Amino acid sequence: MTVDKLSGSLELVGTGASVAVARAFVRGTLGLGHPALDDVTLLVSELTTNAVLHSDSRDGGPVSITLLECDQAIRLTVRDAGSDSRPRVSGDLCGEGGRGLFLVEEISQRWGVDEDETGRVVWCEVKV
């Protein structure tokens, strides 16, 4: 992976207020004219929401966001403390929730989940 132009990271706490901070971080890092801005902003919102609602980082635990521009794509990673369940795409698109990873799957070029003893990283790449 070759890092081209930009990179940035942000440390947050697992609260609902962190979602807006994550969106502002993406806007500030990519800039308002960036061609992937809307997609990456939506995806950081979905992944950060998942981290603060469904991981062991909820209630004030650590959540970190990283952006890298590499190989003509923006790579977004959201790290949290993990949980007993693994993130998965919901099969019920008409349900009350669970569509966040569906959006990640549809919008990103590729995505995945990595876990180790320190927590979980959900990552995605959006083509520029």
Side-chain angles (χ1 to χ4, degrees):
M1 178 185 315
T2 305
V3 176
D4 296 329
K5 296 180 188 175
L6 65 88
S7 65
S9 60
L10 175 67
E11 299 298 321
L12 300 167
V13 294
T15 65
S18 291
V19 178
V21 175
R23 286 191 300 263
F25 166 71
V26 167
R27 287 190 300 271
T29 302
L30 295 183
L32 295 179
H34 196 282
L37 179 64
D38 290 342
D39 288 343
V40 177
T41 302
L42 174 61
L43 298 182
V44 79
S45 184
E46 295 297 336
L47 294 179
T48 304
T49 297
N50 284 353
V52 303
L53 291 179
H54 303 298
S55 81
D56 292 344
S57 291
R58 65 185 168 274
D59 300 324
V63 175
S64 62
I65 313 293
T66 304
L67 286 177
L68 295 173
E69 186 169 1
C70 49
D71 302 328
Q72 299 182 350
I74 300 298
R75 183 177 176 97
L76 164 66
T77 64
V78 177
R79 175 177 282 282
D80 60 42
S83 70
D84 292 336
S85 63
R86 186 164 171 87
R88 62 181 176 77
V89 176
S90 173
D92 182 8
L93 297 180
C94 296
E96 289 282 320
R99 290 181 297 276
L101 288 178
F102 172 79
L103 291 172
V104 172
E105 187 170 77
E106 290 297 309
I107 293 171
S108 65
Q109 187 174 353
R110 60 189 197 128
W111 73 282
V113 179
D114 299 318
E115 296 179 284
D116 61 24
E117 62 279 350
T118 65
R120 173 185 300 138
V121 172
V122 181
W123 59 270
C124 62
E125 293 177 357
V126 177
K127 190 171 181 170
V128 176

